[in-house]
Amino acid sequence: MAAGDPSTAATSDVPATSSSAASYPDRLREALVALSQACDSGVSNASEAASFTVSDILDAFAAVMSAEADDGNDGGDDSTAARVSEQLLREVHEFLSRPLANQMATDALSLVLPIPVAKLGAQTGGCGDIAAAILKFFVTNCSPRDMLSILCEALDAPMELPNCSSSFVLLLNALAEVLTKIQRRHIEQVKVALPAVLKVMRATVSECDEEHGKAVVDLFNAAHGIGNAIQEMCTAMVNKNKEGMCAILGLYSLQNIALASRSRQQDILCACGSVVLQHFRFLKFSGFTYVGLLTGSDVTAATDKLSKEDDADFLEGFSFAMDGAMLTVVWAYMYDDMSKYAGEELELALKEVQGNHMMKWEAINMLKYVLSSICYPWIIKSHSINLLLSLAGENHVQETNNHVDFTSYAPRIFATLKAIESVMMAAPEALMRKKAFAALKKVISMVPSSQRFDILQALVNNSMSSSLTAILLDLVREEILRESRQAENDHVESDGFQGHGELPPWASHALELVELILRPPHGGPPCLPDHGDQVISALNLLRFILIIDSRGPRSGKLFQKGTLHKVHSEWLIPLRPIVAGIQSENERDDSEIANQIVCSLNPVQLVLYRCIELVEEKLKGC
């Protein structure tokens, strides 16, 4: 036997400070001897029972180690456990590697040992190498289809995370070798393996913190080995089978890119950049393009190729594929090696998408998967906003979009805008919040003017923050100004200022929003000073509308007498004593908080009184 083989080292001289730990190797040797005798006799029941005894011994020691680790034992005990683990693994490997090893014994042990061997292999020292050698022996000497099922069951077994991530790495590496040995019905076998693989990946990534950075990278490298095995299968296949396998490989890569992007690493670019690049190469091999990734069309096409009734559960494993599609492009933006690999192809794809309105909307709406999730780090969201601004471009497209029916797009546009809002409100850096606000305005400006106020009204109605509502109302005011100026320049009869007294399209929306804030639907006056931001924005919006309606020959088109009475008696007058009372109460209090409240309500009072004056002036003219 070669000198470098794991089984060649002596095992009898392994020190053990614990008598209980030292007893495990002796018990294991006895169990292996019993297994050998049972297999030599050809009695299957006896060999099965003996193999379970071997497994129980390894499992028991793994459980002891886990319990001691939970109790916080010192480094000396950890070292002893690692040495005993290595000794146990060497005993198993030496038994399997005997020149006259019995195949019955090998088959029996292959059924029960992958889990305990993987657990012991997670120990320090040489445990990992010996455990890998044992698993490789099983893969080489047992039926590939049997080993695939055995390893998938092992991956699905409960293990303590994140400490067992090294165990999963061993099992994934063994599974990758098994896949390369499959000779027929490749797609069916891959569909058995990948759900177990992706379940482990998702669970481990969600549990691992920054301190487990290397373990996460090792896990993704093992997952890359699975991808390599699938790629080998694709190379050997033809026609529809190859298309189906390439679709699987593409979706698998996208899922891994999304999972890598979710890992909680302090420097995610350094930790996971190479992982993403590896999987991006699989995407290129599978026929995915930048345009297809930006718009999500390649993901849809791949899913359609696999969409059968019996594939529903299988496709659930790729739940982050759409995230991964857009994240692939985001990584190309923020990771230098990806940018170099993408080269001119990415720039050409961006230009193609920018030049097609529908494709542009598809790409912008794809970003909601990343921006709305709390699982992706801020650096990725920041670059996602950069990509969104790049996609939107500098040109205003609302005029060319007015002929397009956006009804089917509206729900997705709304979801995208809500995702941008979440970044705008929660981002830790002011620059990122500023970029998100710019993106929000840009996307809103791209919505056809005929539907823009519907979108804005929906955003205000669904806002849970006073400051956000105030920002949205200010955007409404800006849109009214733009619309009114456009109407003046174009002399459009339907703008409400000319023709037969028709109201402009924004009038009902704007007044409904003002009423929503000044007379909340749940009853009572607005909550002051807590909601002071949105109240002053609503008052400013009302003041702006009143001023527009008072301009020369256009006067009186927006407010009927009944509307003016309602605004005066139901919106403004009830608010006046509330503001005055809060002001008076806090002026008598000399605390810092009281002074802040007074300062915040001063502009509210000022604009409120101006609105009352404007309404009363208009009432006099009725």
Side-chain angles (χ1 to χ4, degrees):
M1 193 172 295
D5 192 278
S7 64
T8 59
T11 59
S12 59
D13 58 349
V14 175
T17 58
S18 168
S19 58
S20 60
S23 68
Y24 281 93
D26 294 334
R27 291 166 55 193
L28 178 61
R29 291 188 199 100
E30 293 174 2
L32 290 172
V33 169
L35 173 62
S36 180
Q37 292 172 348
C39 291
D40 289 341
S41 67
V43 181
S44 60
N45 290 340
S47 63
E48 182 179 349
S51 67
F52 275 112
T53 301
V54 173
S55 174
D56 289 343
I57 292 171
L58 299 182
D59 256 331
F61 186 71
V64 169
M65 288 192 304
S66 178
E68 290 180 350
D70 291 340
D71 292 339
N73 278 348
D74 58 29
D77 289 337
D78 289 343
S79 177
T80 298
R83 288 196 297 270
V84 175
S85 296
E86 184 173 341
Q87 183 177 359
L88 293 173
L89 291 170
R90 289 188 186 280
E91 291 287 351
V92 173
H93 189 269
E94 188 176 71
F95 176 82
L96 292 170
S97 303
R98 294 173 303 160
L100 299 177
N102 189 301
Q103 185 62 38
M104 182 184 291
T106 299
D107 290 339
L109 291 176
S110 70
L111 291 169
V112 296
L113 286 195
I115 294 176
V117 164
K119 288 180 179 179
L120 294 177
Q123 292 295 308
T124 57
C127 294
D129 292 337
I130 306 170
I134 293 172
L135 293 173
K136 185 173 183 178
F137 185 91
F138 289 143
V139 170
T140 304
N141 293 277
C142 300
S143 163
R145 296 185 67 179
D146 290 344
M147 285 307 303
L148 186 140
S149 298
I150 291 168
L151 291 171
C152 287
E153 289 180 9
L155 286 169
D156 202 38
M159 292 193 192
E160 183 181 351
L161 292 172
N163 298 328
C164 284
S165 58
S166 297
S167 301
F168 288 132
V169 169
L170 289 166
L171 294 171
L172 289 175
N173 287 336
L175 182 59
E177 290 193 50
V178 168
L179 289 174
T180 62
K181 296 181 180 297
I182 298 293
Q183 298 298 318
R184 52 193 295 271
R185 305 181 71 87
H186 297 90
I187 291 181
E188 289 82 350
Q189 300 304 317
V190 169
K191 287 182 177 180
V192 171
L194 288 193
V197 173
L198 293 173
K199 181 180 177 181
V200 163
M201 297 292 297
R202 183 171 181 175
T204 306
V205 169
S206 66
E207 292 291 334
C208 287
D209 295 320
E210 292 181 16
E211 61 185 283
H212 305 104
K214 184 180 183 302
V216 171
V217 174
D218 289 343
L219 190 70
F220 278 113
N221 286 333
H224 178 253
I226 300 289
N228 278 330
I230 298 174
Q231 186 176 20
E232 285 186 27
M233 292 180 179
C234 291
T235 304
M237 300 171 79
V238 294
N239 301 329
K240 289 187 177 180
N241 285 336
K242 182 172 184 176
E243 291 180 5
M245 189 65 83
C246 284
I248 291 173
L249 178 59
L251 293 174
Y252 174 73
S253 298
L254 292 175
Q255 184 77 4
N256 274 284
I257 288 172
L259 290 173
S261 302
R262 289 169 171 242
S263 61
R264 297 193 289 268
Q265 306 302 312
Q266 186 171 6
D267 187 353
I268 193 170
L269 295 182
C270 180
C272 298
S274 60
V275 171
V276 174
L277 181 57
Q278 288 172 346
H279 283 285
F280 178 68
R281 292 192 174 104
F282 290 147
L283 292 174
K284 297 287 287 183
F285 172 85
S286 302
F288 284 63
T289 66
Y290 279 113
V291 172
L293 293 170
L294 278 165
T295 61
S297 60
D298 280 355
V299 181
T300 303
T303 303
D304 289 343
K305 290 177 183 177
L306 303 172
S307 293
K308 299 177 182 177
E309 290 184 6
D310 56 345
D311 285 331
D313 293 338
F314 175 66
L315 289 174
E316 285 182 5
F318 307 116
S319 56
F320 301 145
M322 281 294 187
D323 300 42
M326 185 51 71
L327 285 165
T328 302
V329 184
V330 173
W331 273 94
Y333 251 66
M334 68 181 186
Y335 184 54
D336 289 341
D337 288 350
M338 281 279 288
S339 300
K340 294 175 183 176
Y341 188 82
E344 189 177 296
E345 187 179 350
L346 176 59
E347 295 300 323
L348 293 174
L350 286 172
K351 289 180 181 178
E352 181 179 349
V353 171
Q354 288 170 339
N356 183 299
H357 296 307
M358 293 299 99
M359 289 174 64
K360 182 186 291 190
W361 274 119
E362 292 289 352
I364 289 174
N365 287 330
M366 282 282 289
L367 282 161
K368 70 176 179 288
Y369 296 108
V370 178
L371 298 176
S372 63
S373 174
I374 62 173
C375 297
Y376 299 112
W378 287 113
I379 185 173
I380 286 180
K381 292 190 176 185
S382 178
H383 284 280
S384 297
I385 293 292
N386 291 342
L387 176 59
L388 192 156
L389 290 169
S390 177
L391 286 168
E394 296 298 327
N395 297 327
H396 293 284
V397 296
Q398 60 265 24
E399 292 83 3
T400 57
N401 274 343
N402 275 331
H403 68 284
V404 178
D405 181 12
F406 264 61
T407 305
S408 60
Y409 279 85
R412 285 187 288 167
I413 294 171
F414 176 77
T416 300
L417 290 169
K418 292 298 292 183
I420 298 171
E421 282 182 359
S422 68
V423 177
M424 190 174 74
M425 299 302 294
E429 297 178 359
L431 178 60
M432 195 186 309
R433 295 193 295 271
K434 184 177 179 180
K435 287 194 303 183
F437 178 57
L440 184 78
K441 292 180 66 175
K442 178 72 72 173
V443 174
I444 289 174
S445 74
M446 292 172 59
V447 177
S449 58
S450 59
Q451 300 184 39
R452 196 174 303 136
F453 283 99
D454 290 327
I455 290 288
L456 282 167
Q457 186 168 17
L459 290 172
V460 173
N461 288 337
N462 287 273
S463 172
M464 302 297 290
S465 163
S466 174
S467 57
L468 176 59
T469 302
I471 291 171
L472 294 170
L473 290 174
D474 288 343
L475 291 180
V476 172
R477 181 160 50 87
E478 290 179 11
E479 284 300 314
I480 290 175
L481 177 61
R482 191 195 62 79
E483 288 275 333
S484 60
R485 285 177 175 172
Q486 184 69 39
E488 287 179 351
N489 294 336
D490 295 343
H491 302 285
V492 178
E493 292 185 358
S494 61
D495 64 359
F497 301 126
Q498 297 180 20
H500 302 286
E502 297 178 2
L503 290 177
W506 51 261
S508 60
H509 291 287
L511 293 177
E512 286 175 12
L513 291 176
V514 173
E515 183 176 19
L516 177 70
I517 305 304
L518 300 185
R519 195 182 180 197
H522 53 72
C527 181
L528 292 172
D530 294 344
H531 293 173
D533 290 343
Q534 66 184 35
V535 169
I536 191 170
S537 288
L539 289 170
N540 271 321
L541 177 58
L542 177 61
R543 179 178 63 88
F544 185 68
I545 297 171
L546 288 166
I547 292 173
I548 287 179
D549 193 49
S550 301
R551 290 177 179 172
R554 296 170 294 187
S555 176
K557 297 291 180 66
L558 296 179
F559 292 92
Q560 300 295 327
K561 186 174 182 179
T563 305
L564 286 172
H565 277 294
K566 179 180 180 180
V567 170
H568 186 264
S569 62
E570 297 182 14
W571 300 1
L572 301 179
I573 295 302
L575 192 58
R576 183 166 58 183
I578 295 173
V579 174
I582 297 174
Q583 287 278 71
S584 176
E585 180 181 346
N586 284 277
E587 284 173 354
R588 293 193 297 269
D589 189 345
D590 197 27
S591 68
E592 182 178 352
I593 295 178
N595 289 333
Q596 291 176 353
I597 293 174
V598 170
C599 291
S600 67
L601 288 182
N602 278 336
V604 174
Q605 190 174 47
L606 180 65
V607 180
L608 172 62
Y609 280 32
R610 179 56 180 153
C611 287
I612 293 174
E613 290 175 2
L614 289 170
V615 172
E616 289 177 347
E617 288 176 6
K618 293 184 73 65
L619 282 171
K620 291 177 182 178
C622 291

